[in-house]
Amino acid sequence: MNINAVSRKKRFAILLTLGLLAAIGPFSIDMYLPAFETIALNFETTFEHIQLSLTSFFIGIAFGQLIYGPLLDKFGRKRPLLIGLVIYIVASILCAYTKEPNHLIFLRFMQALGSCSGMVASRAMVRDIFEPREAAKVFSMLMLVIGISPIVAPSVGAFVLTNFDWHIIFVILAVLALFIFLSVIFILPESYQGNKEMSLRPRAIITDFWHVFRNPTFLLYAAVGGFASSGLYAYLSGSPFVLQRLFGLSEAQYGAAFALVASSLIIATQFNRILLNRWDSAAISKKASVLQASAGILLVIITLTGDMNLYILLGLICLFLCSQGFIFPNTSALALAPFGRLAGIASALLGCIQMALGALTSASVSYFHNGSMVPMVAVMGASASIACLIYLSVKRQSHT
């Protein structure tokens, strides 16, 4: 497909649809974060028990992507994508009617299995259509849609909690997915017809995944992007407790604070498009990784010294997410660049690594929960520092 041959209006519609596909997973996370306390009270269970529904969602996204990767390469991008959206819609409706916390945890896992089809397909389609530098710019544009999610979703969730019931959150998610489903059918073109000769036997699939995994370029940028992103998921998991319980923010105030912090991510992703006209993706992501690690370390130090307040916390988290806005689009484009025929599998493995690390950090924040903000900031600082060390050590070795 030649994206430059279509009208500007059609190009915008295509990019918006890709952005919505990439954002459906994050939106599904952010929208119900303000409801943790309410859901726990409704089910007569603990806050930490409801946090497991977030962890199960991360696990579902992480490993579900491995299923869609081979399917996208064999059958093309749209058919597996539409099946995934149907799974998401059904799971969302069931979440709205569940009456047991463990059922919610399982249904969130199923919801994630559906949503990750959009995340894998959108990355693969960007790889199909654009060359690496342009792809990094497109990923930045997609991050504009993804970045709006943390601004809009918690506010919508808080509004629903104030005026309706938490179950309505999942009804809204089902309606949103239905809109995306129709957009895929009527707006999104097929960017890859598929390879009918590709085998779906386990041994062949494992061989293809291994071929992608052992590529040095993929491994470097997937690791850097994965650890950098995992710090964001530690924040997502820990922020409801830290901001609402420790700092006493109401559900509406939490949504506003969440939106303020997320705006730094949006600004960075759009500024990244400008920087790409002067520097390459590797140089930008390297500097951003150092900046994110510095912000993470400062979070830990100030928390441990007892000097942390709400404004310092939000300021440093803004800096942390701002760095992520430069790291994600550039490392994603660089990781996928070496692959054509296996773009779906490469996209799936990239997403799996990112979300598996996200699930690990989310679970770590819950596991080490001690009534303070230390688990959240410690995991954020460690994740960013590991990403930076990987980047710097591998790059240094490549120049020796």
Side-chain angles (χ1 to χ4, degrees):
M1 173 196 172
N2 184 4
I3 191 74
N4 296 317
V6 302
S7 67
R8 179 175 295 183
K9 184 178 180 180
K10 179 70 171 179
R11 177 189 172 96
F12 174 79
I14 291 172
L15 292 176
L16 178 60
T17 302
L18 290 172
L20 291 173
L21 286 170
I24 188 171
F27 201 87
S28 302
I29 296 170
D30 300 332
M31 190 170 171
Y32 96 126
L33 287 179
F36 271 25
E37 188 82 40
T38 302
I39 295 173
L41 290 173
N42 183 243
F43 284 148
E44 298 182 350
T45 187
T46 64
F47 193 94
E48 292 73 33
H49 192 182
I50 298 302
Q51 274 185 315
L52 292 177
S53 67
L54 181 61
T55 301
S56 70
F57 192 89
F58 289 151
I59 294 172
I61 284 186
F63 294 102
Q65 293 185 71
L66 298 179
I67 298 172
Y68 288 105
L71 296 178
L72 290 166
D73 285 336
K74 182 175 179 64
F75 299 109
R77 309 306 187 208
K78 291 184 67 170
R79 286 168 59 191
L81 171 57
L82 292 171
I83 292 172
L85 289 172
V86 169
I87 294 173
Y88 179 90
I89 292 169
V90 173
S92 298
I93 293 172
L94 292 175
C95 281
Y97 288 96
T98 186
K99 299 183 183 301
E100 295 288 338
N102 289 332
H103 292 171
L104 179 65
I105 292 170
F106 172 74
L107 289 171
R108 286 285 288 173
F109 174 81
M110 295 303 299
Q111 193 184 36
L113 288 182
S115 71
C116 64
S117 64
M119 301 172 71
V120 179
S122 61
R123 285 193 301 264
M125 295 181 86
V126 171
R127 169 59 185 81
D128 293 337
I129 299 170
F130 302 96
E131 54 85 23
R133 184 181 287 257
E134 186 67 18
K137 293 182 179 181
V138 173
F139 277 125
S140 293
M141 294 178 67
L142 298 190
M143 282 297 291
L144 175 61
V145 181
I146 297 173
I148 290 174
S149 169
I151 294 179
V152 175
S155 299
V156 173
F159 175 81
V160 170
L161 290 172
T162 302
N163 296 278
F164 302 99
D165 184 81
W166 67 265
H167 299 83
I168 302 299
I169 290 174
F170 293 100
V171 174
I172 294 174
L173 290 174
V175 173
L176 174 63
L178 179 60
F179 171 78
I180 297 173
F181 180 88
L182 295 174
S183 298
V184 170
I185 293 176
F186 296 109
I187 295 176
L188 202 60
E190 179 60 88
S191 63
Y192 180 69
Q193 295 300 323
N195 179 9
K196 300 300 187 292
E197 296 180 359
M198 179 180 174
S199 174
L200 291 181
R201 293 179 179 178
R203 184 172 181 177
I205 292 175
I206 292 172
T207 299
D208 287 337
F209 272 112
W210 177 246
H211 174 75
V212 172
F213 183 77
R214 65 188 179 91
N215 182 282
T217 299
F218 174 86
L219 194 55
L220 168 62
Y221 292 111
V224 172
F227 276 105
S229 296
S230 67
L232 168 61
Y233 292 112
Y235 162 68
L236 291 176
S237 179
S239 63
F241 175 83
V242 171
L243 296 179
Q244 291 182 275
R245 288 276 188 92
L246 298 185
F247 286 100
L249 299 188
S250 67
E251 292 168 343
Q253 289 172 328
Y254 171 76
F258 206 89
L260 172 66
V261 170
S263 64
S264 63
L265 179 67
I266 295 178
I267 293 171
T269 56
Q270 300 317 295
F271 189 49
N272 181 62
R273 295 169 58 196
I274 299 174
L275 293 183
L276 282 165
N277 293 323
R278 183 171 181 179
W279 291 291
D280 63 23
S281 293
I284 295 172
S285 55
K286 177 182 177 181
K287 291 178 173 61
S289 183
V290 173
L291 180 63
Q292 188 183 57
S294 301
I297 292 171
L298 281 174
L299 276 170
V300 175
I301 293 174
I302 297 175
T303 298
L304 292 178
T305 58
D307 296 324
M308 183 64 75
N309 60 46
L310 179 62
Y311 302 105
I312 295 175
L313 176 65
L314 293 180
L316 287 174
I317 293 176
C318 278
L319 186 60
F320 192 95
L321 294 192
C322 177
S323 305
Q324 181 63 22
F326 293 108
I327 294 171
F328 174 82
N330 291 299
T331 56
S332 296
L334 290 167
L336 297 178
F339 308 101
R341 181 181 65 86
L342 298 177
I345 284 179
S347 174
L349 189 57
L350 176 66
C352 176
I353 291 172
Q354 291 176 345
M355 296 308 299
L357 290 172
L360 177 63
T361 54
S362 172
S364 297
V365 172
S366 297
Y367 180 79
F368 292 107
H369 178 78
N370 61 359
S372 75
M373 71 178 76
V374 172
M376 183 185 80
V377 299
V379 174
M380 290 175 67
S383 301
S385 297
I386 292 172
C388 184
L389 289 173
I390 291 173
Y391 209 137
L392 296 179
S393 63
V394 173
K395 284 296 183 181
R396 188 178 298 115
Q397 292 175 13
S398 65
H399 292 293
T400 58

